[in-house]
Amino acid sequence: MSSSKIFSAAEACRSIADGATVLVGGFGQPGTPNRLLRQLLAQGTKQLTLVKNDASEPGLGISILIEAGRVAKLIASHVGLNPLAVALMHEGRLAIEVYPQGILAEKIRAGGAGLGGILTDIGLHLDTDRPAQLVEVAGARYKIEPALRGDVALIHAARADTMGNLVFTKTAGNFNPAMAMAADLVIVETGEIVPAGAIDPDHVHLPGAFVDRLVLVEKSAADYGVLKHHALQA
Amino acid sequence: MSSSKIFSAAEACRSIADGATVLVGGFGQPGTPNRLLRQLLAQGTKQLTLVKNDASEPGLGISILIEAGRVAKLIASHVGLNPLAVALMHEGRLAIEVYPQGILAEKIRAGGAGLGGILTDIGLHLDTDRPAQLVEVAGARYKIEPALRGDVALIHAARADTMGNLVFTKTAGNFNPAMAMAADLVIVETGEIVPAGAIDPDHVHLPGAFVDRLVLVEKSAADYGVLKHHALQA
Amino acid sequence: MHYKHRIAWRAAREIKAGQIINLGIGIPTLIMDYLPDRQQVFVHSENGIWGMGPRAAAGREDPDLIDAGAAYATIVPGAAFFDTLTSFAIIRGGRIDLAFLGALQVAQNGDLANWIIPGQMTPGIGGGMELAQKSRKVIVLTTHVTKTGAPKIVKSCSLPLTAPACVAMIITDRAVIEVSDAGLCLKELAEGVSVADVVAATEAPLLVPEGELPRF
Amino acid sequence: MHYKHRIAWRAAREIKAGQIINLGIGIPTLIMDYLPDRQQVFVHSENGIWGMGPRAAAGREDPDLIDAGAAYATIVPGAAFFDTLTSFAIIRGGRIDLAFLGALQVAQNGDLANWIIPGQMTPGIGGGMELAQKSRKVIVLTTHVTKTGAPKIVKSCSLPLTAPACVAMIITDRAVIEVSDAGLCLKELAEGVSVADVVAATEAPLLVPEGELPRF
């Protein structure tokens, strides 16, 4: 906890090194830290391992980094909405590792909560390229899923106070709370920063104890607006 | 989810059988479902395994069941504030199993989240009567802590809506959210039940999907008021 | 009625008052239009909603409120929002009464394959594996055969499984089939379809009860 | 000043602006009265507070707001409440900069024993084990010897450990001692206490620097 947590996007992201493992919030566009991702693109950071639920859609979210060849590896739950990412994968230019969605979230949470991992029976029937470590507990078989942490987490919150307490909204929470617990450096973009005490302490979704840097962003229509192709036609 | 979740204390607790494992919310008195515990006392339920952070204090919380000889085993994190429980333990009339506080919470959460357990390095140095199952993951040693579920969870919430969505307050949340995920039958006492839609969906601490029965309670001063011995003297 | 809507309409009749349901991508999302009583059925969406309503009307979209397929959504009174961790705790904790999922293949023992065609379609797993394995009841909604006419209801899945022995019922454009300990049991026929049509389009053996079958 | 308050006052001087601290039961709770700048130090309480304030004034208690020792508490502006899971994720995730804990014994390598005297005192573990093992820095606040005069700073703990090699500093009613790779190093003396007094009351060997030691 530094005496002021408020940074510009450039200041906040400057220390993100090539080759870093970066946890990125968001499920589709809601909760995706688009402004911080554009900063990574602008500053040229490369050889990244990104962890995000999905591969975003072309031109949006983490796809701007994937398209620019900055991503060596993507750890996700599905990439179906991004044909560019799938094509790069088939060309061998993007490594993709997929997990069941809730198990990916649990691996990240375990990292954040200082656990070594979790035991799960999901996907026990699968042969994957990842050799699974199996254990038997109370007569049942489980797969060990090791904890997953990032060097950095890029988070989008609806609102923050100056202490770094965060509030998420609607379906824009998704992976953000888990990821904000699980990185050495936690950078949060938000459209609104209010004074300490302005958020009811019972309404805080993630305490500022986890948050290192806050970036106030203007939410552009292109990155944060309604995507017409997912809307009903009038 | 039944069509109405609202029950009297007697109706809600009637199906709790002798020998049941019961998860009980609360850290000290805040968040402790005192009214539901008094119902268990009144209806004579016995040979219980209780899981609570602490043993409560004499005359309060779960201590009323311990004192009446209804508790065969207590799984807790500490029992220091209850000399009656400690005495019963030394007399061999109450089995007590203790875990580090956060690990107890994680075991319960694992049960609620459909996991087999967690891996932790807390207390690796200890010899306890419980033989630990050890594993090595990514070069580090961890103890397997199996998931813990209850037949029943007794929960105290500050407010609920008719759908069972719960709001906790201040330090009265504590173990309640984890326990409300981790039992086959989840019974919640609360001082206030509001119509569906009256709680902002972003302010719900635990979704009603986990909640089976709601009991509206009057919060008596004796069970829910300020305990003078923990207050500063005027 | 388009066949997808007929499947969704028939599927909605399997929902009981008070149930928590999850609607997978594709045909299952259409069930929203046929819910028996919206006050009594709570729709879970794995991206963080309990109490999801219909799709948002044109011009009424909220960029922060989507369903698991990225379409703009709405909520009903009494809904709750939560993060991915809580959402999948609901699923893996066994609180989903009924999940409707799509399929690439279903086997006669209820094995489900719907997430990957190796070397061809690799969108990833998403939430389907956990829904298939942990929901109290899984109903598959699918076309009876593939676009090239190959049967999707098979003796044994050739594709990697989403979850083993998880499917309780299959509703297709041609039939309603129950998965029982004795095997697949033909329960209903779509209008204009004969028992022989269904048997011919199904690789797995079908138990066909005597007498006239109900139509849907 | 009572010795407990002197220990707490001295301990507070170890806190840096911007740190997240946790105050264990006993003497550590007294630090709250001596915090350098309340706006710049955030106190974590394992029962679910980040931003705890002083104890509640008489008549101003809230039955739902206690500290980890069950005393009625207050909060400062910018505080957050959360459940036990989140609270211990903060601890085990390494977000506590500085934890002040009590002790039954501390060994020369920093081993801490403070949770059990087998067959005698068995209150249980509470949150101490996780705080001791995972806080970035642990400072022990304790009387230098037991009520019967036995040393608490020992070569090797005879009591079961809370956590191995976790203590960085020991502040007692007689001295401030640092745990270093070379062993225990005497850094400061309480008013009216001599080096010889401290060495005599300490079972573990002490490194004593040349020259006058600071007083507190």
Side-chain angles (χ1 to χ4, degrees), chain B residues 135-159:
Chain B
V135 290
E136 195 171 307
V137 175
R141 283 176 78 229
Y142 297 98
K143 187 190 283 196
I144 290 178
E145 279 291 357
L148 178 58
R149 282 183 66 88
D151 299 306
V152 183
L154 302 182
I155 301 301
H156 181 93
R159 191 159 60 256

Side-chain angles (χ1 to χ4, degrees), chain D residues 20 44 56 96 143 154 202:
Chain D
I20 299 177
H44 169 270
I96 303 292
T143 54
V154 295
T202 307

